[in-house]
Amino acid sequence: MSQTVSSAIAWWARMRGDQPAVVLAGEVLSYRTLQDWSDRVAAMLVGAGVEPGDRVAICSTNSLAYVALIFGTIRAGAIVSPINFRYKPREIAELLETTEPRLVFAGPDQVAALREAGVSPRDMSMVEGLREGRRATAAYDPEPDWPVVIIATSGSTAKPKGVVFTNRTMTAYAANWSIEEPSAPAGSKVITMAPLNTSAGFVQLVHYTIAGCTLYMEPQFDPARALDLIQRERITCFAAVPAFFEFIAARPEFANADLSSLKLVTAGGARVSRQLLETYRAKGIVIRQIYGQTEVGGNATIMPAHLAIDMPEKCGWGGAFIDIRVVRPDGSDCAPGEQGEILMRSPGMMIGYWRNPEETARALRDGWLWSGDIGVLDENGLLTFVDRLKDLIISGGLNISAAEVERVVCEFPGIREALAIAAPDPKFGETPLVVYHGDAEVDVAALIAHCDANLSNYKVPRYVAFSADPLPRLATGKLSKPAVRELYTDAHLRLPKVR
Amino acid sequence: MTKAPSQLRVIPPHVPAHLVFDFDIYADARVGSDVHQTYSAAIADAPDVFWAPQNGGHWMVQRMDAISAIATDPEHFSVREMQIPRVPNPPFFIPLSLDPPENLPYRRAMAPMFGPVAVKAMEPRLRAWAGEIIDAALQKGTFDFMADVAKVFPVSVFMELMGMDLSRLHEFRDLAERFFENQNDAAQIEALSGQILGVMKALIDEKRSTPDDKLMSHFIQADMGGGRTMSEDEILAMSFVLFLGGMDTVTNVTGFAYQQLAQMPDLQARLMADAEGLSGAFADEAVRMFGVVNTPRLVVKDIDLMGVPFREGDMVLNLLPIGSRDDRKFDQPHVLDIDRKKVAHVTFSTGPHLCIGHVLGRAEIKVLTEEWFKRVQSFSLAADKPRPFRTGTVMALEALPVSVNAAS
Ligand code: HEM
């Protein structure tokens, strides 16, 4: 059992058996318990007929049982298929159609939606019940190249794509960061706020347990709690979107807070401003910009600390095992300063999209991952992220595919064309704003009800604007999103919030 | 890239069972490299108008009369949407997506540059390009007729037509080729469309300062009624439609026709003996037999026609290439017969959207054939090489490897 996620857990159970692997709402899961518990889960899964390569779907909010089920599934050689716990039955049904899981597990609040989507899930309490018990384990070992997870990502297409990682890619990802970042050795303490069904939540859990760290799982972001936790537990690693750092800095306790335990502080998803950098530098902390995406394994590059001080908005130059290029549409390298598509290559990147050879062939060409993001390298090879080619709205750290929102909105009777764009939102960073055109205004409450029925809550538009004129087009015949964005820059200030 | 076959079947309640016939326009297993023949054979037993439940479900119309009835009835059958399956926010092209009368001023602006007189005047340039391109291909002995001839010729013609700087031929050819090869890749298409429009924009600027008698200068000056001229966006949109409509079409009609001709040594000998006299008739028959555009329409008002209940929101696909092989209109419709009496076909559609470029398209094939047989004694399909193809709204031959005996 070499170079697998399970072999790393077994190692830490031996080396640091009493050290907490995960702390959730004050409840502690040690590496020894994690090892025993996930072994029992693996044996249970095998007993229930799960074979290597089968999918085990999980739809639940974060819990220690969820963690045990993830590592148990991987130990059994099966593939974890997390389902967003906010998903509506239609979204669940679409996902299950392509993943075809052998077993589905659901938290108490998710059971009804799964039933409506046409499956009969098992209860998470079944996993909970295996926390204690006799030693048991699967009779065989997983192989390094067996897939371990399918993570649903929102791309530019209306339907989500499933990113597949194997034992080998995930251990390689962790190895890269262990080599590059001596600031986060075994025993480090990491805060994670993302649900386990997201790429950030899943990858952080697996990465930092492979590395023998302790994860403090927070159910949601609360600046006061985060500040308290950092000081009380002497947290070493903290990653968040820049807005979160701003909220923390805005707390009155911030001025006297002792943040000296923090060794690795990173921000992604938006630019780190000079002002934000300075605010934290005054406390001896350098916030380092990261760039990455699910497909590359998570982070692809972190700005070196000594350079971040002068160029806070740049993201570094790749990594020990991670190469970065910026290219023109024909694949030739851009000159320094010239914008192009960001390409990456690393042993930690996905092996492809689940059952989607076309999208896989598009994303992985000649060993390089085509990110669909626009970036620029300076004369020293430092990357600056410019824009997403993929049309996403990032709300509270969750990616929303604009195309998916548009698809559902356009189904509503009387809507001829519609675009979803990001409106700024003080709480979520961005929130969906829909602009539509039709012969007459539609009943907005009914439209929102239609969206509510077909989309997860966070994807439902918060603003709706009617355009009596057809929406602006590009000369290619497509609707022009930039033109609509410009026309509606301040629309959120004028429009009522519809939910 | 081959598409996975569409598995979901959609049959709305208004569609009677006897009109349902399974057919996947993008990936039907019954269709082969001889696309037209195999396509016709696959649907030979289907009703004149039938419902294909694949790809979201849509009507397919295979008879010439039914096609004409639909193409000339914009009140019920709109061009507003042309995507199968339907997509949110479908693209909108000028004048292709405009129903009459809105499309008329734009067609009027284009028309003078596409009439027989204007096309005749272009012929010497077409001839020079055809000769040059064929000569370059012949250097190779065995070559891909699509990549080396059929794909490059219409690009040069387009550049001539618009009045573009021909020193940038290779750059623009490359752009066009990548554009048509990457049809399944939305991100690439977006990037490439941007580059193409960039070239067109520069051309507009150039022609504003130094006008000539080519199409772009004409667009800039054209009177749209009441002295109004077109905005830059309108000109760009029209140029883009010409780019889309004027290249892939000629490329693939020529390709399919030459795939057939490669297998007809007797016809080759006749053309070789009298290229000037017979190339026009060959071009006519090539266009009749090897249409490549299937035109979609959206039903915008309920109508029962020919025993078929068309309902608002239904998509309809007019199979123009099949209609031009209707055995009720043509004897031995699948035989390439250049002595055939000239009869109307629907390869260029009919009605308000009849192809603007039909005179030019035919002239390109005629001139290319004349120049081909000035240089080629005979040619045949290169043995055992695959000839991949694409179907859908535009049907394409992606490669046509040929072996050639040059004329002495
Ligand atoms: C032999 C080759 C060609 C074929 C088979 C062909 C076929 C067609 C068809 C079937 C349509 C009607 C579409 C519909 O009704 O929805 C059309 C429209 C059009 N074609 Fe062609 N075409 C060819 C060559 C060309 C060329 C060489 C040009 C110009 C350079 C051109 C420009 C156009 C334009 C601008 C339209 C839109 C007309 C309108 O909507 O009013 N085509 N073509």
Side-chain angles (χ1 to χ4, degrees):
Chain A
M1 191 164 73
S2 68
Q3 215 185 337
T4 61
V5 173
S6 309
S7 61
I9 303 292
W11 169 258
W12 295 121
R14 219 178 276 138
M15 292 292 293
R16 292 170 175 262
D18 294 327
Q19 181 195 304
V22 178
V23 180
L24 193 153
E27 219 190 332
V28 174
L29 176 62
S30 70
Y31 272 99
R32 184 171 301 115
T33 310
L34 174 59
Q35 157 87 356
D36 291 349
W37 189 359
S38 56
D39 270 355
R40 277 188 289 276
V41 171
M44 176 271 287
L45 293 173
V46 172
V50 170
E51 292 176 15
D54 280 350
R55 274 73 59 207
V56 173
I58 312 170
C59 189
S60 168
T61 51
N62 287 4
S63 66
L64 293 184
Y66 198 151
V67 172
L69 182 53
I70 286 174
F71 289 107
T73 301
I74 294 173
R75 177 63 187 84
I79 308 173
V80 182
S81 172
I83 301 174
N84 190 327
F85 66 85
R86 294 182 175 89
Y87 267 9
K88 291 283 150 67
R90 165 174 163 175
E91 296 165 304
I92 295 173
E94 273 175 11
L95 189 71
L96 294 181
E97 213 172 276
T98 63
T99 53
E100 296 187 301
R102 167 81 60 161
L103 295 180
V104 181
F105 288 86
D109 296 337
Q110 285 72 39
V111 171
L114 282 157
R115 290 236 170 86
E116 220 177 299
V119 289
S120 28
R122 290 167 195 240
D123 206 288
M124 285 299 281
S125 60
M126 211 178 136
V127 178
E128 186 56 51
L130 294 172
R131 191 195 285 237
E132 312 284 335
R134 279 195 297 143
R135 287 198 60 89
T137 189
Y140 52 86
D141 286 341
E143 294 289 329
D145 289 318
W146 285 358
V148 296
V149 68
I150 304 169
I151 299 177
T153 61
S154 1
S156 47
T157 48
K159 301 215 165 146
K161 294 181 286 194
V163 167
V164 180
F165 295 132
T166 65
N167 280 293
R168 201 188 292 279
T169 69
M170 295 208 80
T171 49
Y173 177 80
N176 177 74
W177 293 115
S178 297
I179 290 167
E180 242 185 272
E181 282 301 328
S183 52
S188 297
K189 297 174 176 182
V190 184
I191 295 185
T192 167
M193 294 171 299
L196 285 166
N197 58 258
T198 62
S199 139
F202 187 91
V203 168
Q204 281 186 324
L205 172 71
V206 177
H207 165 195
Y208 285 113
T209 42
I210 290 173
C213 302
T214 299
L215 281 116
Y216 289 80
M217 267 186 199
E218 288 291 289
Q220 73 239 339
F221 174 70
D222 175 338
R225 251 191 79 84
L227 201 51
D228 177 55
L229 192 66
I230 290 168
Q231 298 181 82
R232 194 161 29 86
E233 299 292 338
R234 303 221 34 93
I235 297 295
T236 33
C237 308
F238 184 45
V241 295
F244 287 2
F245 288 103
E246 284 165 20
F247 288 132
I248 291 176
R251 300 291 311 172
E253 316 83 278
F254 183 77
N256 294 320
D258 170 13
L259 304 182
S260 61
S261 62
L262 287 172
K263 299 283 178 270
L264 177 61
V265 178
T266 59
R271 287 206 180 178
V272 176
S273 66
R274 170 144 305 275
Q275 195 196 357
L276 183 64
L277 180 93
E278 295 304 341
T279 306
Y280 278 78
R281 266 202 82 193
K283 295 215 146 270
I285 289 168
V286 179
I287 300 182
R288 298 161 59 188
Q289 185 94 50
I290 56 142
Y291 167 74
Q293 64 174 200
T294 303
E295 283 84 343
V296 79
N299 293 341
T301 174
I302 306 183
M303 187 67 172
H306 64 287
L307 299 171
I309 293 165
D310 291 327
M311 296 167 280
E313 75 291 353
K314 294 190 181 179
C315 319
W317 36 42
F321 297 163
I322 300 174
D323 297 335
I324 289 187
R325 289 167 64 201
V326 170
V327 304
R328 308 188 176 106
D330 66 1
S332 60
D333 285 291
C334 290
E338 180 186 347
Q339 291 188 6
E341 183 169 353
I342 302 172
L343 266 53
M344 292 165 284
R345 182 168 69 178
S346 94
M349 68 193 186
M350 67 165 183
I351 58 163
Y353 293 111
W354 179 253
R355 289 190 183 164
N356 198 336
E358 292 185 13
E359 291 293 338
T360 301
R362 200 163 295 162
L364 295 176
R365 284 179 252 162
D366 304 327
W368 289 90
L369 171 72
W370 290 62
S371 69
D373 287 335
I374 303 289
V376 58
L377 295 176
D378 66 15
E379 36 316 309
N380 296 315
L382 289 166
L383 177 75
T384 305
F385 169 80
V386 177
D387 198 3
R388 319 185 264 265
L389 263 177
K390 290 181 185 161
D391 191 4
L392 298 177
I393 298 161
I394 302 187
S395 189
L398 297 170
N399 287 350
I400 304 171
S401 153
E404 188 185 359
V405 177
E406 288 157 9
R407 179 174 62 129
V408 169
V409 170
C410 284
E411 288 168 2
F412 192 75
I415 291 188
R416 177 83 54 96
E417 48 193 34
L419 287 183
I421 58 177
D425 185 279
K427 182 147 167 238
F428 299 104
E430 294 179 355
T431 191
L433 180 158
V434 160
V435 183
Y436 74 94
H437 163 69
D439 293 334
E441 290 197 42
V442 300
D443 175 354
V444 172
L447 171 63
I448 294 303
H450 166 76
C451 292
D452 260 329
N454 290 290
L455 292 169
S456 303
N457 184 263
Y458 65 96
K459 301 177 189 167
V460 175
R462 219 172 279 276
Y463 300 99
V464 176
F466 169 71
S467 164
D469 294 323
L471 303 183
R473 299 249 173 194
L474 300 164
T476 53
K478 285 182 50 173
L479 289 181
S480 170
K481 207 153 244 189
V484 169
R485 281 199 191 105
E486 198 168 319
L487 283 171
Y488 290 85
T489 343
D490 301 326
H492 61 287
L493 303 175
R494 289 178 272 115
L495 290 166
K497 269 199 178 161
V498 294
R499 69 178 186 93
Chain B
M1 204 179 302
T2 49
K3 265 197 62 167
S6 153
Q7 272 156 8
L8 223 73
R9 293 170 88 245
V10 178
I11 307 174
H14 69 269
V15 174
H18 70 278
L19 293 182
V20 174
F21 185 91
D22 284 288
F23 192 83
D24 181 348
I25 58 168
Y26 295 107
D28 204 280
R30 292 164 286 190
V31 178
S33 294
D34 185 349
V35 171
H36 296 75
Q37 185 109 30
T38 50
Y39 204 118
S40 299
I43 60 174
D45 296 331
D48 292 1
V49 179
F50 61 93
W51 181 267
Q54 286 72 19
N55 297 298
H58 59 96
W59 297 105
M60 294 182 72
V61 188
Q62 61 167 326
R63 292 292 177 177
M64 192 151 115
D65 287 341
I67 289 171
S68 302
I70 288 167
T72 52
D73 181 3
E75 190 194 337
H76 296 94
F77 301 95
S78 171
V79 286
R80 208 169 69 206
E81 280 188 36
M82 294 227 191
Q83 261 60 35
I84 294 177
R86 291 179 74 180
V87 296
N89 302 322
F92 190 95
F93 301 110
I94 302 177
L96 206 54
S97 313
L98 286 167
D99 289 312
E102 279 98 19
N103 66 333
L104 294 175
Y106 297 100
R107 283 187 67 98
R108 249 182 258 124
M110 285 200 261
M113 306 300 282
F114 286 96
V117 178
V119 171
K120 189 84 202 155
M122 276 183 75
E123 240 190 68
R125 296 301 303 147
L126 300 190
R127 197 171 295 288
W129 281 117
E132 200 171 298
I133 288 164
I134 296 168
D135 282 336
L138 289 177
Q139 300 282 322
K140 301 186 180 178
T142 298
F143 56 91
D144 176 5
F145 183 84
M146 298 312 293
D148 294 328
V149 180
K151 285 184 185 170
V152 284
F153 181 49
V155 183
S156 315
V157 175
F158 178 85
M159 294 180 75
E160 283 283 349
L161 180 71
M162 301 299 277
M164 293 167 69
D165 177 3
L166 288 158
S167 67
R168 300 181 62 183
L169 176 70
H170 289 282
E171 185 188 330
F172 194 67
R173 235 182 225 174
D174 183 53
L175 204 53
E177 222 165 276
R178 280 194 281 133
F179 182 87
F180 289 109
E181 276 166 10
N182 283 298
Q183 285 304 304
N184 290 326
D185 187 338
Q188 284 288 315
I189 287 295
E190 187 143 341
L192 292 166
S193 309
Q195 291 186 21
I196 292 162
L197 291 176
V199 173
M200 292 298 139
K201 226 175 182 138
L203 188 65
I204 296 176
D205 292 343
E206 181 194 323
K207 301 296 174 186
R208 277 197 208 281
S209 54
T210 43
D212 56 16
D213 57 354
K214 302 293 180 67
L215 188 54
M216 189 56 93
S217 299
H218 176 75
F219 279 163
I220 293 169
Q221 293 147 12
D223 183 354
M224 301 298 288
R228 185 182 88 86
T229 54
M230 275 191 271
S231 70
E232 180 168 285
D233 277 345
E234 285 172 305
I235 297 177
L236 284 174
M238 293 257 278
S239 309
F240 196 70
V241 166
L242 285 170
F243 181 93
L244 291 178
M247 289 198 247
D248 221 16
T249 48
V250 179
T251 296
N252 290 304
V253 173
T254 311
F256 284 118
Y258 272 62
Q259 174 178 246
Q260 179 65 36
L261 183 56
Q263 303 170 64
M264 299 175 74
D266 295 349
L267 180 56
Q268 290 182 29
R270 279 183 70 191
L271 286 166
M272 168 79 194
D274 182 13
E276 210 175 319
L278 298 179
S279 289
F282 173 76
D284 286 331
E285 183 67 346
V287 168
R288 179 195 70 83
M289 272 192 75
F290 297 103
V292 292
V293 179
N294 298 299
T295 54
R297 294 290 187 267
L298 172 70
V299 178
V300 287
K301 202 162 153 192
D302 292 358
I303 184 173
D304 292 318
L305 207 64
M306 303 163 289
V308 178
F310 293 102
R311 291 293 167 267
E312 199 180 320
D314 287 356
M315 288 306 297
V316 182
L317 188 64
N318 277 332
L319 303 176
L320 304 180
I322 305 297
S324 291
R325 292 176 172 225
D326 188 338
D327 61 11
R328 294 179 200 155
K329 299 288 170 181
F330 302 95
D331 281 339
Q332 297 196 291
H334 302 297
V335 172
L336 197 165
D337 173 7
I338 63 167
D339 302 319
R340 191 184 289 279
K341 194 159 68 57
K342 227 186 138 182
V343 205
H345 57 71
V346 285
T347 297
F348 292 119
S349 188
T350 180
H353 293 278
L354 170 72
C355 174
I356 279 281
H358 71 273
V359 178
L360 177 60
R362 174 189 178 275
E364 289 184 49
I365 297 170
K366 169 178 152 285
V367 169
L368 186 79
T369 303
E370 270 180 64
E371 296 306 309
W372 179 259
F373 283 105
K374 277 183 193 164
R375 296 164 173 80
V376 172
Q377 171 96 35
S378 65
F379 71 110
S380 56
L381 301 178
D384 302 331
K385 293 252 177 72
R387 285 169 276 132
F389 60 92
R390 243 185 312 126
T391 59
T393 49
V394 175
M395 310 201 294
L397 190 60
E398 288 170 343
L400 179 60
V402 290
S403 312
V404 177
N405 286 322
S408 40

